[in-house]
Amino acid sequence: MPLRRSAQRAASRLLPACLAGCLLACSGGSGTAPAGTSGLGDRLFPAAGNGGYDVTHYGLDLSYDPGSGRLAGTAVITATAAQDLRGFDLDLAGLTVVRVGVDGRAARATRSGTELTVRPARTLRRGARFETTVAYAGVPRLLTDPDGSHEGWFRTDDGALALGEPVGSMAWFPGNDHPSDKAAFDVTMSVPTGLGVVSNGEPAGTRTAAGRTSFHWRSTAPMATYLATVGIGHYTVTRSRTPGGIALYTAVDPRSDDRQTAAALSRLPEILDWEAGLFGPFPFGSAGAVVDHLPSGQVGYALETQNRPVFPGDGSGPAVAVPTLVHELSHQWFGDSVTPSSWQDMWLNEGFATYATWLWQEDDGGVPVSRSAATAFADPGTWAFAPAAPPTAADVSAPPVYNRGALVLHELHRALGDTAFATLLRGWPAAHLHGNASTADFTAYCAGLTTRDLTPLFATWLYGTAKPARL
């Protein structure tokens, strides 16, 4: 995403307690197996995600009433036990849990803050595939990040928009809310007939009955929970293909369809084919964009939701500009397909997306990459901390992650030369297609491209705390 105002796309604070108490009772003992952890120990977000299992699929069957703002439905979460489990946690903020079951049997469940703890009737054995069903309802809420920005469930005057980075997906469905656990998704959303629904992946059918229409969206490629989105409202939908054959599905709220936005979106096919030429084949079944209309100042950022990034517009200015479109689309390779292993690896998303924008501005506008790098180098904010080591959760998307992350790539280009650097741009996303990667994975990959010792380069630009004497 592009830089937010204030601390810029900061990560969420550990959310306050929302709803606690015992929910359901079931029969059966817990056995002697341990419970999965209630957090994955991420350095910046220690409570994010949960241990003991790996999710492979989310099936969300939901219904939304724009008038009341009420969301209701069922999540079926398919996972594999990574250990013997007498219990495990899911992340869920607010909402009322009505029923929990595991493999068709009632399960005991309790709430504490954003943790939903599930105790199956029988111990889950290591390696076992199991299905957890959670029925829930309520009015989803916005979550506030340390910089004052918001994520989660945005209620609009004709529907809603869900944005989840870093932990906002827990506002509308239960899950393992950490980027290291990616899964396929099926999202079915029922809304009053006349409204549209857009989500990740590809449309998989609609059904209309009794004044309501259900839209089914399917994402077969693994996706981190923070990249999941759903938009509900009135949209003008355009389907097409790029000259290179990438399928496009673009949904635009007519109120945000200003002249500059339309001009930017008209270049989407060109941008995607240009990026595919640099970064390799597009990693998903379709691409596109979502442009939605929200109250003024409520969002303030675009987000690289998988397949089709989201661009909120409030009528105060163009909803989409070409550089932002280039940035968000490049995330489909860097961040969405190759997803960071932990939140401190965020520079791998934003550094590449920023550098991709510099490359576009050179090719399309004649602005040399060296000039963009010099501008970033001269900005004092670039040097607040090392991009590979954001000091706190509030810094996860601050300027060093973007600008200095891009400077790492600029220096690598100079060190490796054109041929090896071109191999890096295509080879890195191919090596970790639909997976996760860390900063250590990246430096090891780069080391394999050259006989030159890159340790001093990384020590200075990636991990160093002092600004170099010159670029």
Side-chain angles (χ1 to χ4, degrees):
M1 73 203 68
L3 284 166
R4 275 189 176 185
R5 60 194 187 284
S6 182
Q8 309 298 345
R9 196 51 191 144
S12 174
R13 64 188 170 191
L14 298 180
L15 298 168
C18 55
L19 175 65
C22 185
L23 298 171
L24 297 166
C26 73
S27 61
S30 61
T32 59
T37 60
S38 60
L40 287 174
D42 188 288
R43 183 178 71 81
L44 297 176
F45 304 100
N50 307 281
Y53 63 94
D54 174 63
V55 179
T56 56
H57 183 265
Y58 291 93
L60 307 179
D61 191 355
L62 307 173
S63 176
Y64 185 65
D65 176 26
S68 65
R70 187 175 186 271
L71 179 73
T74 302
V76 179
I77 303 163
T78 305
T80 301
Q83 63 184 63
D84 287 354
L85 286 174
R86 71 168 186 267
F88 57 91
D89 280 29
L90 296 168
D91 301 303
L92 183 65
L95 302 173
T96 298
V97 174
V98 178
R99 181 179 69 257
V100 178
V102 176
D103 288 337
R105 301 186 65 178
R108 186 168 67 249
T110 56
R111 299 289 293 275
S112 178
T114 60
E115 298 294 331
L116 171 63
T117 301
V118 179
R119 301 282 184 175
R122 296 176 178 174
T123 295
L124 300 171
R125 296 304 178 188
R126 180 179 180 180
R129 176 183 176 274
F130 64 98
E131 284 189 351
T132 303
T133 301
V134 182
Y136 59 100
V139 177
R141 68 187 195 187
L142 284 181
L143 309 179
T144 302
D145 291 340
D147 64 351
S149 53
H150 299 97
E151 60 171 330
W153 189 267
F154 296 86
R155 192 171 174 182
T156 66
D157 58 2
D158 65 347
L161 177 67
L163 299 175
E165 187 178 9
V167 293
S169 70
M170 69 169 72
W172 62 287
F173 68 91
N176 196 14
D177 200 7
H178 190 268
S180 62
D181 193 0
K182 301 170 69 170
F185 277 73
D186 277 272
V187 178
T188 300
M189 180 66 74
S190 169
V191 296
T193 297
L195 294 179
V197 175
V198 60
S199 188
N200 312 93
E202 286 71 53
T206 60
R207 185 179 70 252
T208 298
R212 297 186 67 86
T213 301
S214 294
F215 294 81
H216 181 190
W217 286 83
R218 173 169 293 153
S219 300
T220 57
M223 179 168 66
T225 51
Y226 81 89
L227 297 169
T229 188
V230 64
I232 301 166
H234 295 100
Y235 300 107
T236 300
V237 173
T238 303
R239 301 186 193 217
S240 61
R241 287 186 178 271
T242 73
I246 302 169
L248 299 177
Y249 185 106
T250 301
V252 180
D253 187 312
R255 294 169 296 176
S256 294
D257 192 14
D258 57 87
R259 185 173 300 177
Q260 185 173 331
T261 292
L265 291 177
S266 72
R267 303 196 70 183
L268 193 153
E270 172 192 0
I271 293 168
L272 274 171
D273 282 352
W274 175 84
E275 290 183 336
L278 286 174
F279 310 139
F282 187 71
F284 303 110
S286 67
V290 179
V291 182
D292 211 342
H293 184 83
L294 284 92
S296 179
Q298 192 175 49
V299 181
Y301 58 88
L303 187 63
E304 62 271 19
T305 46
Q306 193 156 299
N307 292 84
R308 51 193 56 83
V310 169
F311 303 88
D314 59 13
S316 63
V320 185
V322 169
T324 306
L325 188 59
V326 172
H327 183 107
E328 302 305 333
L329 291 173
S330 69
H331 273 310
Q332 304 305 306
W333 286 264
F334 306 106
D336 293 13
S337 176
V338 185
T339 304
S341 296
S342 70
W343 283 110
Q344 75 174 31
D345 299 312
M346 188 70 163
W347 81 272
L348 286 169
N349 293 16
E350 303 301 348
F352 268 103
T354 301
Y355 193 78
T357 306
W358 293 357
L359 291 173
W360 170 266
Q361 290 170 333
E362 181 172 79
D363 283 1
D364 185 63
V367 179
V369 169
S370 59
R371 186 186 303 174
S372 298
T375 300
F377 184 83
D379 183 354
T382 298
W383 305 99
F385 57 83
T392 72
D395 301 305
V396 73
S397 291
V401 176
Y402 291 72
N403 290 342
R404 196 165 162 193
L407 287 174
V408 172
L409 297 170
H410 181 63
E411 291 301 305
L412 277 171
H413 191 173
R414 299 207 294 193
L416 296 174
D418 291 345
T419 301
F421 188 72
T423 299
L424 169 63
L425 291 181
R426 293 179 67 89
W428 171 250
H432 296 277
L433 181 70
H434 300 317
N436 293 90
S438 66
T439 297
D441 293 327
F442 179 76
T443 57
Y445 183 86
C446 293
L449 297 176
T450 180
T451 58
R452 177 175 175 174
D453 182 9
L454 297 176
T455 303
L457 186 156
F458 291 128
T460 298
W461 296 93
L462 188 54
Y463 297 107
T465 58
K467 181 180 179 180
R470 64 178 185 274
L471 184 63

